[in-house]
Amino acid sequence: MTGLDLSSPVAVVGTGTMGQGIAQVALVAGHSVRLYDAVPGRALEAADAIGARLDRLVEKDRLTAADRDAARSRLVAAGHLTDLADCTLVVEAVLERLDVKQQLFRELEDIVGEDCLLATNTSSLSVTAIAGALRHPGRFVGLHFFNPAPLLPLVEVVSGFATDVSSATRAYETARAWGKTPVACADTPGFIVNRIARPFYAEAFAVHEAQGAEPATIDAVLRECGGFKMGAFELTDLIGQDVNESVTHSVWRAFFQDVRFAPSLAQQRLVESGRLGRKSGRGWYDYTDGAERDEPHTAEPAQAPAYVVAEGDLGPASELLALIREAGIQVREDEEDHGSRLVLPSGGQLALADGQTSVEFRDVVYFDLALDYRKATRIALSASQDTSQQTLAEATGLFQALGKDVSVIGDVPGMIVARTVARIVDLAHDAVAKGVATREDIDTAMRLGVNYPLGPFEWSRRLGRNWAYALLDDLHLRDPSGRYAPSLALYRHAYASDKREGSTS
């Protein structure tokens, strides 16, 4: 089955930012587009705004003047809902209220033809629930574009409980024909991206609430060590704290207040105070004129150790051994099986974050997971009050000798990047086990939808079959609330043999 024929008119109901963006995508793909808004005059204003954006595309040589003129000629501001009668696809982008959307589609069902595909762009409501008001829910599907729709490639194609396979396929192929990258998804709270992305925000907020580090340091570690484009605090300031918190609450409630999706009290207080981020001038950071930029904690220069003793290969951090040698620091091999760590001249140990705390051991400094230890420009270290200052200084000097800035945070189990990645990997495995989406579509969605450096299963393959499970299991022992309890799917993955599951993830 293919997508819509270009001769088929498409309608967009709701002319806010998302509605205009979706209309522009359909227009540029070659469709005639009807814009409708319940507020008189809004559709005409939206058509003018889209026309202005097409002009800017011409100025940037991304669209020819002839194509712009042709697109403008295909764009019509509809005065009445009945003007959409001959459309073969209607995409809704109105207020995020179930009753409003249900009423709209009940009216549309009496207007459009039987072959018209009905779609919602909802990001937080149940596609199944919206379709539940219809006589023919089989032709109803979710088409979740990401903002700004003309620029971001991802579209989540969401099948409700009653969605016909043919309707989902038709929507999928239409999105692909429009130049987008569609991913197929079952109707689950948050779909793919908003479900699996929750730990990226939640773990950063949790480290902050535990007094482990301040926002600027956490953001810097996520960017410069974890490889994420933005940290959680600056990203939620950009999104809007109220918007991000609303999505978190929606997913949490939809999962019957599952502790794994619990909202942040610190973020709630931020919203209550009116500090909504960039749009209000204050969020986690101050954006008012003249405000000083918050800087991450960066340790003072320290002397690098003359040598380290390597016990084991450091697992996902094994690349560090080559970097240490390249920096002119001797690496002595200990062939006895003591685990996977470095022993410093002080006798203290340096280990990759594993979900345990430094205070549990005599003299241990933990270092965080990095996307790429060679390219990382910052490393976080974690130590307890009982860690000797000499051991911490040697660990700091070691990473500084590798050309890294060092941020020392509190004794936080799992640190920052490691616990975040482990939870994302866990939610991804759980989603596949519950039929939400395929591994390939989840990786695609997380890379394109939220610009992650790797998809969850790409991380999983890189880190090893047991890594995420072991870290979360240790975290769960130290925080038995259930927040870090590994899913059954991750447990099965960790203990399955390569022969049965293959060695690809």
Side-chain angles (χ1 to χ4, degrees):
M1 180 176 289
T2 60
L4 301 181
D5 189 278
L6 286 180
S7 62
S8 303
V10 171
V12 177
V13 179
T15 57
T17 301
M18 283 304 304
Q20 290 181 32
I22 295 168
Q24 181 179 328
V25 171
L27 264 181
V28 172
H31 288 275
S32 295
V33 175
R34 313 255 174 89
L35 278 175
Y36 175 78
D37 198 291
V39 179
R42 287 269 180 88
L44 280 171
E45 293 174 2
D48 289 341
I50 293 170
R53 283 200 292 273
L54 295 177
D55 287 340
R56 288 194 290 274
L57 290 178
V58 172
E59 292 169 3
K60 296 177 181 179
D61 292 326
R62 296 177 183 173
L63 189 70
T64 67
D67 286 341
R68 174 202 57 197
D69 294 341
R72 277 182 165 175
S73 70
R74 296 193 301 270
L75 181 60
V76 176
H80 303 280
L81 207 57
T82 53
D83 295 339
L84 315 183
D86 63 338
C87 291
T88 54
L89 169 63
V90 179
V91 183
E92 162 274 317
V94 302
L95 188 66
E96 283 286 274
R97 274 179 44 187
L98 179 61
D99 59 335
V100 172
K101 294 179 187 292
Q102 287 180 328
Q103 180 60 33
L104 169 64
F105 284 110
R106 275 195 295 262
E107 293 178 25
L108 283 169
E109 200 171 30
D110 292 332
I111 293 170
V112 299
E114 293 181 358
D115 63 338
C116 180
L117 189 64
L118 300 177
T120 175
N121 185 58
T122 186
S123 61
S124 60
L125 298 176
S126 164
V127 171
T128 300
I130 300 171
L134 301 181
R135 296 189 304 274
H136 304 291
R139 61 168 165 174
F140 191 82
V141 67
L143 274 179
H144 181 216
F145 289 77
F146 287 74
N147 191 31
L151 297 180
L152 295 186
L154 185 69
V155 177
E156 292 176 318
V157 181
V158 186
S159 293
F161 184 78
T163 302
D164 292 335
V165 172
S166 59
S167 297
T169 302
R170 192 176 174 203
Y172 185 98
E173 294 299 336
T174 295
R176 186 157 63 177
W178 288 0
K180 297 300 180 182
T181 303
V183 291
C185 175
D187 184 21
T188 183
F191 308 143
I192 297 174
V193 172
N194 280 328
R195 172 181 178 143
I196 295 174
R198 295 346 294 164
F200 180 74
Y201 314 109
E203 293 312 307
F205 299 161
V207 171
H208 173 56
E209 290 176 346
Q211 304 293 300
E214 72 283 357
T217 297
I218 297 170
D219 278 353
V221 172
L222 286 168
R223 288 193 315 269
E224 300 169 35
C225 182
F228 293 94
K229 298 298 183 183
M230 298 181 75
F233 296 92
E234 58 188 340
L235 180 55
T236 52
D237 268 356
L238 178 63
I239 294 169
Q241 298 301 331
D242 52 340
V243 174
N244 182 262
E245 189 204 27
S246 176
V247 173
T248 299
H249 271 270
S250 175
V251 173
W252 176 59
R253 287 191 300 267
F255 277 113
F256 307 107
Q257 301 185 359
D258 186 332
V259 68
R260 294 177 303 162
F261 301 98
S264 160
L265 181 59
Q267 186 181 39
Q268 179 179 312
R269 292 288 180 260
L270 205 66
V271 173
E272 290 172 343
S273 71
R275 298 186 176 188
L276 307 182
R278 289 180 177 272
K279 63 185 177 183
S280 69
R282 290 288 295 274
W284 294 110
Y285 300 109
D286 187 348
Y287 300 95
T288 57
D289 291 340
E292 292 187 10
R293 179 183 175 88
D294 291 350
E295 295 296 334
H297 169 270
T298 302
E300 294 295 324
Q303 182 68 39
Y307 70 90
V308 295
V309 179
E311 296 181 349
D313 63 2
L314 299 187
S318 59
E319 185 181 21
L320 281 176
L321 297 177
L323 297 180
I324 293 170
R325 291 187 177 98
E326 290 169 16
I329 299 172
Q330 183 183 8
V331 177
R332 301 175 183 175
E333 304 282 351
D334 186 340
E335 296 182 358
E336 294 187 26
D337 185 11
H338 296 292
S340 184
R341 58 200 172 191
L342 297 176
V343 179
L344 299 165
S346 64
Q349 300 174 9
L350 185 60
L352 176 62
D354 59 5
Q356 301 182 85
T357 56
S358 181
V359 75
E360 299 171 51
F361 304 96
R362 184 181 63 82
D363 199 13
V364 170
V365 172
Y366 281 106
F367 63 93
D368 210 347
L369 177 70
L371 173 68
D372 184 326
Y373 283 99
R374 184 173 293 276
K375 295 180 180 178
T377 57
R378 182 178 298 273
I379 294 292
L381 300 180
S382 175
S384 76
Q385 298 179 36
D386 297 333
T387 304
S388 77
Q389 289 303 304
Q390 179 63 24
T391 295
L392 182 57
E394 288 177 350
T396 300
L398 174 65
F399 280 104
Q400 289 173 339
L402 305 186
K404 319 298 183 187
D405 288 329
V406 173
S407 293
V408 180
I409 69 171
D411 190 14
V412 178
M415 301 192 68
I416 298 170
V417 180
R419 69 196 286 178
T420 299
V421 170
R423 288 207 59 214
I424 289 170
V425 167
D426 182 45
L427 289 186
H429 278 277
D430 185 54
V432 170
K434 292 177 178 173
V436 173
T438 65
R439 295 180 179 194
E440 293 75 19
D441 276 358
I442 287 174
D443 275 354
T444 297
M446 301 313 291
R447 282 188 285 99
L448 299 184
V450 277
N451 212 11
Y452 283 2
L454 295 174
F457 293 99
E458 292 173 315
W459 272 112
S460 188
R461 287 191 290 271
R462 176 180 290 199
L463 296 170
R465 182 177 291 281
N466 192 54
W467 179 84
Y469 175 81
L471 187 144
L472 291 176
D473 195 39
D474 276 335
L475 264 171
H476 178 54
L477 288 174
R478 288 150 186 83
D479 178 0
S481 65
R483 178 187 182 100
Y484 300 103
S487 66
L488 179 59
L490 189 64
Y491 175 85
R492 285 173 170 156
H493 172 74
Y495 286 98
S497 70
D498 288 344
K499 183 177 181 180
R500 280 189 287 123
E501 277 201 10
S503 58
T504 59
S505 59

